Amino acid sequence: RVDALGINCGMGPEQMMPILDEILQYASVPVIVKPNAGLPKQKDGEVYYDVEPEEFGRFMAEILKRGASLIGGCCGTTPAHIRAMVEATKDQRDITDRPGKEFKNRTIVSSYGRAVELGGKPMIIGERINPTGKKLFKEALLRGDMDYILNQALEQIGAGADILDVNVGLPGIDEKEMMISAVKSIQAIVDVPLQVDSTIPEVLDAALRVYNGKPIVNSVNGEEKSLKAVLPLVKKYGAAVVGLTMDKSGIPQTAQARFDMAEKIMQEAMKHGIPKEDVLIDCLTLTISA
């Protein structure tokens, strides 16, 4: 996780304000804003920027008032622009209680181009990219048939999936290489976030390394071996993780025992620096007949 999040260059301070407002809805870290001195223009063959120092200072005072924690100037700004900014913001120097630093408590996963917020309404995770109980899928994996996997991805999105689970674990194949190929290929044609699914830490590591965005790791359980193997990877790559309320003894039979298991997973995750909003607990509810 980053210590601060910023916008710089590309546009002037006025154009950055709506972007700042949107970032502040989600950021739980200080926000940096370093605009250009307006937009570049050309006159008599020379490039200049259209925001003068005093106007720049006024804009930056408003940006600080809206919630930015750190401000500065990028292209086109001069010592005069910075002096004007300093003068205009001299009464707003206390950054101990800036709006951008408040904790937002949102669970969000993303692909390279789409973010999905969990909570508030049900989200559908498509789990057909998984060989368990699927003869045709197993055959496709053995053949290295990536087109079959990609069709499964597209069909699930067409049916309304918000996130896709990717599991290619099958005896007789190189699961690590197949997972890398699957993740790269799937994210090249769809923009929904992925849930990386494997019981092998090396496979998870390889998949997370090539993933563009913030995925879900499926999964970790209450067993010490699982916690020690999976949680460091989740922290390293900034992922979310599914916590299963079970350990080497199986699934607890009472609600309290499952709650205790969930609490253990949560506490261990937080010890690793994983925020609690990135831990998704699966209570493994069974059918009445089971």
Side-chain angles (χ1 to χ4, degrees):
R1 295 170 69 88
V2 298
D3 296 310
L5 180 68
I7 331 165
N8 77 289
C9 201
M11 58 188 71
E14 185 176 15
Q15 292 80 20
M16 279 192 179
M17 288 187 193
I19 299 173
L20 170 64
D21 292 342
E22 186 169 2
I23 288 176
L24 288 171
Q25 294 179 41
Y26 299 93
S28 296
V29 294
V31 176
I32 308 165
V33 180
K34 295 178 63 179
N36 294 345
L39 300 175
K41 295 186 177 180
Q42 195 171 55
K43 183 178 181 180
D44 298 329
E46 294 187 4
V47 175
Y48 72 98
Y49 289 82
D50 62 0
V51 175
E52 296 295 326
E54 286 190 11
E55 186 181 13
F56 186 83
R58 290 194 298 271
F59 279 132
M60 297 311 291
E62 174 62 22
I63 281 172
L64 204 60
K65 182 179 178 181
R66 290 187 182 209
S69 294
L70 302 168
I71 57 174
C74 199
C75 300
T77 56
T78 65
H81 285 83
I82 303 306
R83 280 195 295 270
M85 179 183 73
V86 170
E87 178 64 25
T89 60
K90 63 184 179 181
D91 296 328
Q92 298 186 63
R93 299 296 174 78
D94 184 4
I95 65 169
T96 58
D97 191 29
R98 303 223 60 79
K101 293 177 68 177
E102 64 188 26
F103 183 65
K104 301 303 191 299
N105 193 32
R106 284 178 154 174
T107 300
I108 299 175
V109 295
S110 71
S111 64
Y112 63 89
R114 182 191 295 189
V116 172
E117 183 169 3
L118 305 179
K121 66 176 184 178
M123 290 293 167
I124 299 172
I125 299 180
E127 295 203 350
R128 284 170 54 186
I129 302 177
N130 187 319
T132 304
K134 301 182 183 72
K135 181 181 178 182
L136 292 178
F137 196 100
K138 291 178 180 179
E139 292 174 353
L141 287 177
L142 292 171
R143 293 194 308 270
D145 185 354
M146 193 55 61
D147 286 343
Y148 184 91
I149 295 175
L150 296 181
N151 284 331
Q152 293 292 307
L154 292 171
E155 286 178 9
Q156 290 180 96
I157 292 172
D162 301 294
I163 297 168
L164 294 180
D165 185 89
V166 181
N167 184 323
V168 293
L170 183 70
I173 69 168
D174 185 332
E175 183 178 345
K176 178 180 174 180
E177 290 305 314
M178 180 58 75
M179 177 64 87
I180 291 172
S181 180
V183 169
K184 285 183 175 180
S185 299
I186 292 169
Q187 67 183 358
I189 67 165
V190 304
D191 68 349
V192 301
L194 302 184
Q195 177 171 275
V196 182
D197 188 351
S198 178
T199 59
I200 303 173
E202 292 76 16
V203 173
L204 293 175
D205 193 353
L208 293 170
R209 183 173 290 275
V210 299
Y211 184 72
N212 296 321
K214 177 181 177 180
I216 303 173
V217 170
N218 189 16
S219 58
V220 70
N221 60 56
E223 189 176 349
E224 292 299 325
K225 180 180 178 181
S226 176
L227 294 167
K228 289 180 179 179
V230 176
L231 293 181
L233 295 176
V234 175
K235 170 60 178 176
K236 177 181 179 180
Y237 292 102
V241 62
V242 175
L244 306 178
T245 55
M246 62 179 293
D247 59 15
K248 60 183 178 182
S249 300
I251 303 173
Q253 293 300 304
T254 67
Q256 184 60 50
R258 294 192 200 190
F259 181 88
D260 293 342
M261 187 74 68
E263 192 170 45
K264 175 184 177 181
I265 294 169
M266 183 71 73
Q267 289 175 349
E268 287 299 316
M270 293 177 71
K271 285 180 185 178
H272 281 79
I274 301 166
K276 63 181 180 180
E277 68 268 20
D278 283 342
V279 182
L280 313 170
I281 298 298
D282 183 345
C283 296
L284 301 172
T285 305
L286 305 177
T287 62
I288 293 175
S289 61

